[in-house]
Amino acid sequence: MSVLKFNNIHPIIGASVYIDNSAVVIGNVSIGDDVSIWPTTVIRGDVESISIGAGTNIQDGSVLHVSHATPFSEKSYPLVIGKGVTIGHRAVVHACTIGDYCLIGMGSIIMDDAVIEDYVMLGAGSLVPSGKKLESGHLYVGAPARRIRMLKDSEYDFLKYSYQHYITLKNQYL
């Protein structure tokens, strides 16, 4: 695995974390306990911080990054991901906030300063524009992402199952 410092800042990695050998974690990144980071994922905390909550899984080919203040954007944006989140294959998660127990569908893109509250399902291939807020307890799909309906009880159960399954799976890899 490539866990690299940037500007003398080393990633902080919690207990029982699985980072695949082909993944890259750089700089100001804090990873909670029981997180799994799957093949070819890039997590680059160079110009701002990245925080990943306990029990979260970042699936294959995902890119996690941040934004710095510029003459075009006066504010920098860290990336904050809550606990028990499933980020599907090939997602791009950029300088946003994701609450606890969310599912980010495969191939989704989440842009700067977007906020996804707790217990949100974002369908595969969705685009969450800069500054958009997705409210807790709903399913969102599309580009741009739009609210479809409230989550069903079975979907709340799936959110719990998904992150727990990946904890079990990463333990097999460890």
Side-chain angles (χ1 to χ4, degrees):
M1 86 182 112
S2 294
V3 177
L4 308 169
K5 69 180 178 178
F6 179 80
N7 281 344
N8 248 359
I9 300 174
H10 295 267
I12 298 168
I13 300 170
S16 195
V17 169
Y18 171 73
I19 301 173
D20 186 82
N21 287 332
S22 65
V24 179
V25 180
I26 303 170
N28 192 0
V29 177
S30 175
I31 299 172
D33 297 343
D34 281 321
V35 168
S36 57
I37 299 169
W38 297 94
T40 69
T41 292
V42 176
I43 301 173
R44 187 160 57 98
D46 48 11
V47 297
E48 249 295 356
S49 65
I50 296 175
S51 174
I52 302 170
T56 288
N57 60 91
I58 314 295
Q59 296 177 13
D60 313 58
S62 293
V63 176
L64 282 59
H65 195 233
V66 289
S67 288
H68 66 285
T70 72
F72 309 98
S73 171
E74 295 177 7
K75 186 176 174 190
S76 65
Y77 295 99
L79 172 58
V80 178
I81 300 171
K83 61 185 176 185
V85 174
T86 294
I87 295 183
H89 309 286
R90 221 179 32 81
V92 176
V93 182
H94 203 272
C96 60
T97 300
I98 300 173
D100 298 337
Y101 309 111
C102 293
L103 183 140
I104 306 305
M106 295 181 283
S108 291
I109 300 171
I110 306 170
M111 297 301 298
D112 298 23
D113 197 31
V115 175
I116 298 177
E117 295 182 344
D118 299 346
Y119 298 101
V120 167
M121 293 183 85
L122 180 64
S126 294
L127 169 66
V128 180
S130 297
K132 183 161 180 138
K133 182 177 183 179
L134 306 188
E135 295 178 0
S136 181
H138 290 90
L139 169 66
Y140 290 81
V141 299
R146 64 192 185 286
R147 185 170 60 199
I148 300 300
R149 59 172 168 74
M150 293 185 71
L151 293 179
K152 300 173 184 176
D153 288 343
S154 62
E155 291 166 326
Y156 280 101
D157 292 342
F158 181 78
L159 292 173
K160 183 178 178 182
Y161 166 81
S162 182
Y163 90 86
Q164 290 175 339
H165 163 72
Y166 273 93
I167 289 173
T168 300
L169 186 59
K170 66 97 183 153
N171 286 341
Q172 292 174 327
Y173 276 79
L174 289 174

